[in-house]
């Protein structure tokens, strides 16, 4: 049925979904995490994007949850609404026919509907830190029987914006029976330090690269003046069979660009902190279905998003850190598929990009557009100097 060692230890309902999804072999992070989580250990796990981190904690979690209990047993925290919804979709898929109940909670959603979800006694809940804390303060969510807390994309949850809230949620559980799991593509010493007070001799898992599940990703860049960046982006959007996720820093630039293109009848999906719930859902759904060949997004909005068939990641603004380049670029080349990462930079940004590439151990190649296609940089032909006439000859 399967080549994976641990899946045969999972409940039958999980084995059936595994088979239905066509999986044959688990990823390295999944193999390493399963026994540790089943033993009740605290785990801090680092693995590249696209290596199946969500299933690495979901499968053992779903193996441990008791379906006959009538209280919340596990809480999964994620920093963005989109990631919460994505995790919940996985939960729904993997718990089909099992009797296990799950619910998602995000800011801006209908309060009455969210309380109705809690009345159904979910076993596992997934939500943004702010929303989970709000339900706790309203005494609608009781945490004393929660056995496991998961920090998905954990590095984005220990930032100043979320840390105090996340810490309060962790502290609300019983320390002697709590298991804390953190999964991320980047785990810094600072993250380990911040979790030190909440964990008990945590198991550290570090997966550098999963060769079997990594597609070939090409890293290239275009150089142009800042004012010409939209022109390069437009050319990328016109490339055949391309689904591109574009990372932009400035919401204003994003809005102006989308409006200009709309006027040209060239529609793109837009995702940022100021888009409302309906707009966000329409953008992601349309992009996933292929209604839009390109989506413009800020880093926060696209955090952890898994878009099947994403061929291209575009850094419209050069990433400031290795972590930022890693997280953005990891959206493509997932599950063995190939991809391309494109940086659009000004001449003064070339040095920064090459420095990042050196630190990451990747090669970035300079390219240009020629007749609508991406080609290697062509040599600049120098004009031949005018030939001197031999002395003594007149016109």
């Amino acid at each position: 049925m399967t080549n994976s060692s641990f899946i045969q230890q999972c409940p039958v309902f999980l084995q059936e979904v595994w088979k239905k999804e066509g999986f044959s072999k688990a990823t390295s992070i999944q193999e390493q995490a399963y026994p540790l989580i089943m033993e009740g250990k605290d785990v801090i796990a680092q693995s590249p994007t696209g290596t199946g981190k969500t299933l690495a904690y979901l499968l053992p979690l779903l193996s441990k949850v008791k379906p006959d209990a009538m209280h919340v047993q596990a809480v999964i925290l994620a920093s963005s609404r989109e990631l919460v919804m994505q995790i919940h979709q996985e939960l729904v898929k993997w718990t089909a026919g099992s009797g296990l109940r799950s619910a998602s909670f995000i800011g801006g959603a209908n309060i009455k509907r969210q309380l109705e979800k809690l009345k159904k006694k979910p076993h596992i809940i997934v939500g943004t830190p702010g929303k989970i804390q709000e339900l706790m303060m309203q005494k609608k969510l009781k945490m004393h029987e929660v056995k496991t807390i998961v920090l998905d994309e954990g590095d984005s949850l220990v930032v100043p914006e979320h840390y105090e809230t996340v810490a309060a949620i962790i502290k609300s559980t019983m320390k002697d029976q709590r298991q804390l799991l953190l999964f991320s593509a980047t785990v810094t010493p600072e993250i380990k330090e911040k979790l030190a007070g909440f964990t008990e001799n945590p198991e550290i898992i570090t997966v550098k690269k999963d060769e079997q599940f990594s597609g070939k990703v090409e890293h290239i860049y275009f150089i142009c003046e800042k004012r010409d960046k939209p022109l390069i982006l437009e050319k990328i959007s016109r490339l055949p069979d391309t689904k591109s996720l574009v990372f932009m820093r400035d919401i204003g630039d994003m809005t102006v660009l989308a409006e200009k293109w709309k006027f040209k009848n060239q529609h793109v999906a837009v995702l940022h902190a100021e888009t409302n719930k309906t707009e966000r859902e329409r953008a992601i759904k349309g992009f996933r279905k292929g209604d839009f060949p390109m989506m413009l997004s800020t880093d926060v909005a696209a955090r952890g998003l898994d878009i099947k068939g994403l061929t291209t990641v575009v850094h419209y603004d050069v990433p400031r850190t290795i972590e930022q380049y890693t997280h953005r670029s990891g959206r493509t080349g997932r599950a063995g598929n190939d991809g391309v990462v494109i940086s659009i930079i000004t001449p003064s940004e070339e040095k920064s990009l090459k420095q990042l590439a050196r630190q990451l151990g990747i090669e970035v190649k300079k390219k240009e557009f020629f007749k609508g296609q991406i080609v290697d940089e062509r040599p600049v032909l120098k004009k031949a100097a005018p030939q001197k006439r031999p002395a003594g000859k007149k016109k």
Side-chain angles (χ1 to χ4, degrees):
M1 181 183 75
T2 174
N3 296 327
S4 179
S5 55
F6 77 80
I7 196 70
Q8 289 151 353
Q9 300 165 35
C10 292
V12 175
F13 73 90
L14 291 178
Q15 294 187 36
E16 285 173 355
V17 182
W18 181 272
K19 194 175 179 182
K20 187 179 163 191
E21 288 294 303
F23 293 126
S24 61
K25 190 164 170 52
T27 65
S28 182
I29 188 69
Q30 290 163 2
E31 286 283 9
Q32 291 184 57
Y34 187 85
L36 298 174
I37 295 173
M38 290 303 287
E39 284 171 36
K41 301 273 181 77
D42 289 334
V43 173
I44 295 175
Q46 176 178 355
S47 187
T49 47
T51 50
K53 289 191 291 295
T54 306
L55 284 188
Y57 67 76
L58 273 191
L59 295 180
L61 209 57
L62 295 174
S63 300
K64 289 172 75 171
V65 169
K66 296 176 173 61
D68 51 351
M70 299 298 281
H71 57 263
V72 177
Q73 296 168 58
V75 173
I76 303 167
L77 298 176
S79 62
S80 71
R81 302 177 193 183
E82 287 72 32
L83 187 50
V84 166
M85 300 315 294
Q86 191 170 285
I87 295 165
H88 190 243
Q89 281 167 9
E90 288 296 307
L91 270 169
V92 170
K93 185 203 297 178
W94 287 87
T95 54
S98 68
L100 293 179
R101 297 178 297 278
S102 63
S104 62
F105 298 93
I106 53 174
N110 183 295
I111 301 291
K112 193 179 172 188
R113 201 173 298 152
Q114 301 230 319
L115 295 179
E116 286 297 321
K117 288 181 188 179
L118 283 174
K119 284 179 185 171
K120 291 176 183 173
K121 307 288 183 190
H123 300 104
I124 303 175
I125 64 173
V126 52
T128 49
K131 193 66 194 178
I132 297 296
Q133 189 184 44
E134 185 186 316
L135 292 168
M136 282 163 48
M137 290 170 78
Q138 290 171 348
K139 305 219 180 321
K140 303 293 183 187
L141 174 60
K142 295 176 176 64
M143 298 289 287
H144 64 280
E145 289 187 277
V146 170
K147 297 281 194 295
T148 309
I149 291 184
V150 183
L151 308 183
D152 192 308
E153 294 280 354
D155 64 316
S156 64
L157 290 168
V158 296
V159 294
E161 180 192 349
H162 294 301
Y163 180 70
E164 293 303 324
T165 309
V166 170
I169 294 168
I170 297 170
K171 285 175 187 170
S172 69
T173 58
M174 308 284 279
K175 191 175 181 181
D176 58 343
Q177 64 175 32
R178 173 184 72 222
Q179 179 182 36
L180 186 63
L181 311 173
L182 177 140
F183 283 76
S184 181
T186 48
V187 175
T188 61
E190 185 191 11
I191 290 172
K192 294 176 189 172
E193 196 181 307
K194 284 191 170 181
L195 293 184
F198 304 118
T199 52
E200 192 78 33
N201 300 320
E203 295 285 344
I204 310 291
I205 302 174
T206 306
V207 176
K208 292 293 183 192
K209 198 176 180 188
D210 214 322
E211 294 294 345
Q212 185 188 339
F213 296 93
S214 298
K216 186 183 165 215
V217 177
E218 188 184 10
H219 296 260
I220 66 174
Y221 67 98
F222 294 97
I223 290 188
C224 66
E225 295 303 324
K226 192 177 179 182
R227 64 176 179 275
D228 294 327
K229 284 192 177 192
L231 187 64
I232 298 289
L233 195 61
E234 194 168 344
K235 287 179 179 179
I236 294 168
S237 75
R238 294 186 191 283
L239 291 168
D241 305 317
T242 302
K243 184 184 270 195
S244 310
L245 178 58
V246 182
F247 287 96
M248 298 178 72
R249 206 171 289 148
D250 191 277
I251 293 174
D253 288 350
M254 199 185 293
T255 310
V256 169
L257 190 61
E259 285 300 321
K260 279 184 180 174
W261 284 11
K262 193 176 176 182
F263 184 71
K264 291 182 183 179
N265 211 25
Q266 190 176 345
H267 297 272
V268 289
V270 175
L271 194 68
H272 56 73
E274 291 171 20
T275 43
N276 63 41
K277 186 171 175 272
T278 309
E279 290 168 337
R280 291 158 88 100
E281 284 173 3
R282 194 186 302 131
I284 294 171
K285 197 174 177 183
F287 187 52
R288 279 203 166 110
K289 277 170 61 188
D291 298 342
F292 307 110
M294 183 173 271
M295 180 156 79
L296 313 180
S297 176
T298 54
D299 285 280
V300 174
R303 188 70 184 208
L305 269 189
D306 188 11
I307 308 286
K308 281 187 173 66
L310 187 73
T311 62
T312 312
V313 164
V314 181
H315 302 292
Y316 187 85
D317 297 296
V318 73
R320 293 186 176 114
T321 63
I322 290 174
E323 288 78 17
Q324 200 175 36
Y325 192 97
T326 303
H327 277 287
R328 288 176 174 187
S329 302
R331 303 294 119 217
T332 189
R334 296 166 84 92
N337 297 309
D338 294 345
V340 62
V341 175
I342 302 174
S343 298
I344 306 174
I345 59 172
T346 62
S348 63
E349 292 171 331
E350 189 175 17
K351 192 179 174 185
S352 301
L353 178 67
K354 287 192 169 176
Q355 196 176 351
L356 274 177
R358 259 196 314 277
Q359 288 171 293
L360 286 163
I362 57 173
E363 186 186 2
V364 284
K365 294 178 182 172
K366 189 176 177 183
K367 300 279 184 177
E368 58 182 62
F369 271 100
F370 181 69
K371 294 184 178 176
Q373 295 298 312
I374 295 175
V375 297
D376 290 332
E377 186 186 17
R378 294 168 299 151
V380 178
L381 295 173
K382 289 181 180 177
K383 279 188 178 178
Q387 289 186 336
K388 287 183 181 178
R389 288 192 300 272
K393 284 194 177 180
K394 289 186 179 177
K395 242 180 175 180

